Amino acid sequence: THRQGRADLLLENLEAGDLPWDQVRAELTADGRQANLRLNGRGPRLDLAFSATCPTPLRTPLSFSLSGLSLAPAGGPAWRQQGQSALVVGAHHLDLDRLVLAQGRQRLELAGQVAPGGRVRASLDLKDFEPAPWLPERGLPQTTRLELGAELTGTLVEPVMRLRGRLHGLAWRRVGEGLVSFNGRLGGGELSLAGRVTWAEQPVLDLNATLGLAASLNPPNLELTAEGLNARLTGKDLPLHLLAPTMRGVRILGGRLDLDLKAQGDPGDPHLEGALALSGGNLVITPTGQRITDINLAFSARGREIVLTRGEADSGGHLSLRGRMLLPWKDAGLVELKAQGKDLL
C-alpha cells in the first residue's frame, strides 16, 4: 500500500531579509515512491519558481533532483535552469551538482561540496552577463558585459576565496571603449585586491590593495585584524566617462583624470597621501540642463585633509574655487570653500 499526501502553503506580504515578496506558494505532494515540492514566489523585485523531487521513504543522506528553476527580475526576462541538478544533503556533508541558469547568451554555473570535517569546495562562473538592465540609474552602456569566476576552498572555519573577472564593452560614442579587469583573494587573515582599467588599449588606472581581514563560514564572521589597510590607486589620462556609473544626476561629456593616492593604517581612519587633477571637464547637470565646461581641478591629500589647490570652470561665466576638507572619519569633519564667479548662468 502506498501512502499519499498533499500540503499547500500560501504566504503573503513576506519579508525575507532585504527581499520582499507579495506572495509565496508552496505545494508538497508525496506517495510511496517520491516526494515533490513546487515553490513559486512573486515580488516587486524578483519572481522565483523551482521544483525539487526526493525518493521516499526519506533516508539520509537525502537526495534531491532540482529542476525548473526560474529567476525573473522585475520587468526583465527570466533566467531558466538548463536540465536538472542533484543536491545531496547528509548529516555532515552537502553536495550540489552542476546547476546552470541561462538567459539568452548569459550563463551562470554553480557547483559546491562540503565534506565531512568541514572541508569545502565551491565554484561560480558567470559569462556574458548584461549589468545595464539591473542598474538603469548608473548609465552603463547597453553593450557592457561582465565575466566573473569565483572559487571557494579550504574549510568552513578557515576558507580561502578567490575572485577574477572583467567588465568589457564599456563603449561610449566618440570616446572609445574601456575594459576593467580585477582579481582578489581572501584567506590567511588577508584580503588582497588588484584591478586595472584599460582605455583604447592603454592602461589608465591601477589599484593594488591589501586589508587585514579574518573570515569564517562556521560561524559566519568577518573581522578586521591589526594588519590594517595598505592601498594605492594610480591613474593617467583616465576618461571621466568611466566614472559615470558613480555620478547620479550628471551626464558626462568629457574630461580626464590624473591621480596617485595612497591609503594606509586603520581602514576606519586611514592616512592619505597623494594628489588628483581633473582637466578639460565637460558635463551637464541632468535635472536642470545646466552645462559646465572647462572644468579644471587639482587636489592634494595628506592625512585626512583634502586641499583644493585649483578650481576653475565655465557656465556662461567663469567660476574660481579654493578650499579644503577634513574627512569625517574621527568627527563630523570640516569643509571650507571660497568661490568667486562672474556672469554665471
Side-chain angles (χ1 to χ4, degrees):
T1 301
H2 290 166
R3 295 183 179 181
Q4 298 183 354
R6 178 188 178 96
D8 293 289
L9 176 66
L10 176 64
L11 301 174
E12 295 183 327
N13 300 320
L14 178 67
E15 292 285 341
D18 294 330
L19 199 60
W21 298 95
D22 297 329
Q23 186 182 90
V24 176
R25 183 183 297 274
E27 174 188 304
L28 177 64
T29 59
D31 56 29
R33 297 182 301 275
Q34 66 180 22
N36 182 263
L37 172 66
R38 295 181 183 274
L39 183 72
N40 287 274
R42 189 178 71 250
R45 292 161 54 186
L46 184 70
D47 290 347
L48 164 70
F50 78 88
S51 175
T53 302
C54 181
T56 59
L58 299 178
R59 297 187 180 90
T60 56
L62 299 175
S63 180
F64 297 93
S65 177
L66 307 179
S67 62
L69 176 60
S70 172
L71 297 172
W79 287 65
R80 302 189 185 279
Q81 183 178 352
Q82 307 297 292
Q84 295 186 341
S85 179
L87 173 65
V88 178
V89 181
H92 303 289
H93 74 280
L94 180 147
D95 194 346
L96 174 65
D97 195 10
R98 184 168 165 264
L99 173 64
V100 179
L101 294 173
Q103 195 283 303
R105 296 181 59 183
Q106 303 176 88
R107 188 177 179 90
L108 172 66
E109 184 173 327
L110 295 168
Q113 181 184 72
V114 179
R119 295 208 63 82
V120 60
R121 179 175 293 276
S123 64
L124 176 150
D125 194 18
L126 181 63
K127 292 187 179 299
D128 219 26
F129 177 64
E130 302 172 12
W134 294 78
L135 302 167
E137 74 283 359
R138 296 300 185 182
L140 287 170
Q142 294 297 317
T143 53
T144 305
R145 297 293 183 270
L146 174 65
E147 317 288 338
L148 182 68
E151 65 177 27
L152 174 66
T153 57
T155 68
L156 292 173
V157 177
E158 296 181 342
V160 177
M161 307 173 198
R162 294 179 176 85
L163 178 72
R164 66 191 182 284
R166 64 190 190 104
L167 193 66
H168 59 96
L170 290 163
W172 282 272
R173 190 172 55 183
R174 297 191 300 271
V175 296
E177 182 172 337
L179 167 69
V180 179
S181 58
F182 55 90
N183 63 78
R185 182 185 185 277
L186 174 60
E190 182 180 84
L191 170 66
S192 61
L193 295 171
R196 167 166 284 187
V197 177
T198 303
W199 191 267
E201 300 184 354
Q202 297 295 320
V204 293
L205 186 69
D206 282 289
L207 168 68
N208 287 280
T210 60
L211 175 66
L213 187 65
S216 170
L217 296 174
N218 185 25
N221 185 51
L222 284 174
E223 184 176 349
L224 294 171
T225 71
E227 295 299 317
L229 173 69
N230 190 346
R232 185 175 186 182
L233 185 65
T234 58
K236 179 67 175 175
D237 287 332
L238 173 68
L240 200 58
H241 282 88
L242 288 178
L243 300 184
T246 68
M247 301 176 69
R248 300 186 183 186
V250 174
R251 182 161 59 93
I252 296 174
L253 302 178
R256 299 274 170 163
L257 281 173
D258 294 317
L259 67 153
D260 188 350
L261 295 172
K262 297 178 182 178
Q264 293 179 309
D266 182 351
D269 183 20
H271 179 90
L272 300 181
E273 193 79 33
L276 179 149
L278 166 63
S279 59
N282 188 352
L283 55 83
V284 174
I285 307 299
T286 306
T288 64
Q290 181 183 10
R291 182 166 179 169
I292 305 175
T293 62
D294 294 327
I295 305 170
N296 295 283
L297 305 172
F299 297 89
S300 64
R302 187 174 183 85
R304 68 181 184 118
E305 182 182 42
I306 309 295
V307 178
L308 175 60
T309 57
R310 180 193 178 197
E312 309 285 343
D314 290 334
S315 182
H318 186 71
L319 176 66
S320 297
L321 298 169
R322 297 292 186 275
R324 73 185 189 105
M325 172 191 298
L326 292 179
L327 296 172
W329 292 334
K330 294 180 178 179
D331 47 40
L334 173 70
V335 176
E336 295 178 345
L337 186 64
K338 295 179 181 180
Q340 289 183 325
K342 183 179 180 180
D343 299 329
L344 296 173
L345 292 179

